[in-house]
Amino acid sequence: MFTRDGASAIKKDIDNTVRFCQALGNPHTKFKSIHVAGTNGKGSTSHLLASVLASAGYKTGLYTSPHLVDFRERIRINGEMIPQENVINFVNRHRVLIEEIQPSFFEVTVAMAFDYFATEQVDVAVIEVGLGGRLDSTNILHPELCLITNIGMDHTDLLGNTLAEIAGEKAGIIKLQVPVVLSERDETIAYVFEQKARQMNAPLRFASTELTVQSCERSGKGLILRIVDNIHHLTKEVYVGLAGRYQQKNILGVLTALDELGERGWAIGEEQLHEGLAHVEQNTGLQGRWQTLSIDPFIICDTGHNEDGIREVMANIQATVHNDLHVVIGAMRDKDLSHMLPQLPKDAVYYFCSPDMPRALPANELKIKAERYGLAGDAYPSVNNALASAKEAYQESDLIFVGGSNFVVADVLKDYK
């Protein structure tokens, strides 16, 4: 499992997925799909799209990874997780095939999702790429639309050491004559996507060129965004039921993708659009994106875990009124912490911890690495021990932030279900 072992668990081709799905009757050809890739924001973007499509009356599948608390979070229809018996029956029914092909955990999960969506006859499924794009198991799809959120430095041991190399892997999801939306235009690597789109004769749109967020205000548990359409010179206001200010980047890609679907005959009304954006968590079960776990003590968690992700988390923390900051943090062994740790504030109190998995960086090692960047705190044997100590030190109007890794957030969420 990649989540447990890291890069050694990755199979760098789609051959196993092709063989597995052929044996299942190619279920991925039996439903329409939207394919979502990117370094950061692809999970939120996938959930936002699925929420709007479900609000518009489409029976909508959603495949994402990793899960935080329950494996079944990865495979949903209209927000409902795949039933336990379906998971068990799929594995038992195809045990001989699994032993013959020897697929990875992720490859089995992708095949399971595609089989479930086909069996349940979804109208459309939003499929999030697991890692990269070109060689990801999900890339056997021929979707209605491809959406790529952004490109940042992450998984460099697998995807490349430059933004251009990583962009090339993400661009690998672009298919012949299938429209593609880029949420952000980065001038240094835009040519990678433009060249690939020309090769595939795929219509290409850069959302951040077409749309601009004029203002972003916190409101309740979400954000009120005022968005300018630079093409038609129109302005509209939307409410997104997610509190992370980084959602203003994701929303541009989502709105452009939905506009592209509308031009291709998909029926998505304004009221349904607003309904879907406002009720993402309720419609899809999304967790761990700038999620408030409690008010007293004030605890927020976020799964951002690479350079760009941590930068966005820090911007959110700065925009959140608080006195002292307590940071419960852990990381994986294969993360390049030299890009992440320098962004963390030196005036916070740190509670270094390690999720219960072999791939996790031991808390003492994380503490030593963090000290080199002026980050002070103690190491704890578990995430829950670290959080308990942060709660003891908490004073009124402080903020406890939990993050650094999906798996740190996952350990905490188990107690907040």
Side-chain angles (χ1 to χ4, degrees):
M1 291 170 58
F2 175 71
T3 51
R4 185 190 65 207
D5 301 328
S8 62
I10 294 291
K11 298 186 178 180
K12 294 187 177 182
D13 59 57
I14 60 173
D15 295 350
N16 280 348
T17 308
V18 169
R19 287 183 62 195
F20 204 148
C21 285
Q22 282 178 341
L24 297 176
N26 290 320
H28 59 289
T29 65
K30 297 174 182 175
F31 56 85
K32 294 179 179 180
S33 60
I34 298 168
H35 206 190
V36 181
T39 301
N40 291 296
K42 62 182 181 292
S44 295
T45 294
S46 297
H47 284 79
L48 284 161
L49 283 172
S51 181
V52 172
L53 288 165
S55 293
Y58 293 103
K59 187 175 184 180
T60 306
L62 176 62
Y63 175 76
T64 57
S65 63
H67 63 273
L68 292 174
V69 179
D70 187 326
F71 165 81
R72 299 178 303 133
E73 294 167 26
R74 295 169 179 250
I75 306 170
R76 297 176 183 265
I77 295 177
N78 287 1
E80 295 295 322
M81 294 189 292
I82 182 173
Q84 288 185 3
E85 56 267 30
N86 288 63
V87 177
I88 295 165
N89 291 342
F90 181 88
V91 175
N92 285 336
R93 191 162 62 247
H94 303 294
R95 186 178 297 275
V96 173
L97 181 63
I98 291 169
E99 290 173 354
E100 175 191 335
I101 295 176
Q102 292 289 299
S104 69
F105 167 84
F106 188 80
E107 288 166 340
V108 174
T109 308
V110 168
M112 181 187 298
F114 291 173
D115 185 70
Y116 181 59
F117 294 152
T119 300
E120 294 298 314
Q121 298 180 323
V122 298
D123 297 315
V124 62
V126 180
I127 308 295
E128 179 194 3
V129 166
L131 180 68
R134 181 174 64 93
L135 299 176
D136 189 74
S137 298
T138 63
N139 203 29
I140 65 171
L141 292 168
H142 192 86
E144 298 288 297
L145 173 76
C146 297
L147 195 160
I148 301 172
T149 58
N150 67 2
I151 306 300
M153 298 300 289
D154 197 16
H155 298 298
T156 53
D157 54 333
L158 295 164
L159 302 179
N161 293 309
T162 68
L163 285 179
E165 288 176 334
I166 295 171
E169 292 299 313
K170 308 286 186 186
I173 72 166
I174 299 175
K175 302 295 191 307
L176 189 65
Q177 297 181 336
V178 173
V180 56
V181 170
L182 268 291
S183 296
E184 295 182 41
R185 183 182 177 93
D186 182 337
E187 293 297 342
T188 64
I189 54 173
Y191 72 92
V192 175
F193 299 102
E194 289 168 340
Q195 288 177 357
K196 182 66 174 182
R198 279 196 298 271
Q199 290 171 8
M200 295 288 104
N201 192 25
L204 173 62
R205 297 173 66 173
F206 288 95
S208 60
T209 300
E210 297 186 18
L211 304 173
T212 303
V213 176
Q214 189 179 71
S215 64
C216 173
E217 298 175 22
R218 204 53 77 67
S219 177
K221 292 185 176 181
L223 301 169
I224 296 175
L225 301 170
R226 191 171 178 81
I227 296 170
V228 178
D229 182 332
N230 300 318
I231 306 299
H232 302 101
H233 307 290
L234 300 171
T235 302
K236 75 171 169 181
E237 198 170 86
V238 297
Y239 175 77
V240 177
L242 301 172
R245 295 179 71 86
Y246 50 76
Q247 299 298 347
Q248 60 188 300
K249 293 185 176 182
N250 296 329
I251 194 65
L252 301 185
V254 170
L255 292 176
T256 305
L258 291 169
D259 180 68
E260 183 67 31
L261 290 174
E263 290 185 3
R264 292 170 184 274
W266 290 69
I268 303 166
E270 279 293 306
E271 186 176 332
Q272 297 160 332
L273 168 69
H274 290 286
E275 170 73 17
L277 295 179
H279 299 97
V280 185
E281 291 181 346
Q282 300 94 314
N283 290 350
T284 66
L286 178 64
Q287 297 185 91
R289 273 60 167 197
W290 199 250
Q291 181 177 350
T292 299
L293 298 179
S294 74
I295 298 299
D296 186 19
F298 189 20
I299 305 174
I300 291 177
C301 69
D302 193 278
T303 55
H305 59 273
N306 54 36
E307 182 178 2
D308 292 337
I310 291 296
R311 186 179 297 117
E312 297 296 341
V313 163
M314 289 303 104
N316 270 329
I317 287 175
Q318 289 168 9
T320 303
V321 177
H322 64 277
N323 288 337
D324 291 337
L325 174 63
H326 307 264
V327 179
V328 176
I329 189 169
M332 297 296 103
R333 293 177 185 270
D334 52 0
K335 284 295 172 188
D336 183 356
L337 298 181
S338 66
H339 292 287
M340 186 172 90
L341 293 176
Q343 299 186 64
L344 299 176
K346 294 180 176 60
D347 58 352
V349 180
Y350 288 86
Y351 305 78
F352 302 106
C353 56
S354 179
D356 185 19
M357 58 167 48
R359 190 176 148 224
L361 183 68
N364 281 323
E365 290 185 33
L366 178 58
K367 179 178 184 291
I368 291 168
K369 288 177 184 287
E371 285 173 346
R372 296 172 191 161
Y373 297 93
L375 310 180
D378 293 321
Y380 296 85
S382 74
V383 175
N384 287 328
N385 286 141
L387 180 57
S389 293
K391 286 180 177 178
E392 287 179 14
Y394 177 89
Q395 300 289 321
E396 186 178 353
S397 298
D398 285 357
L399 169 62
I400 298 173
F401 173 75
V402 180
S405 165
N406 282 304
F407 308 106
V408 172
V409 172
D411 278 1
V412 169
L413 283 176
K414 290 170 187 172
D415 293 328
Y416 285 88
K417 291 181 69 176

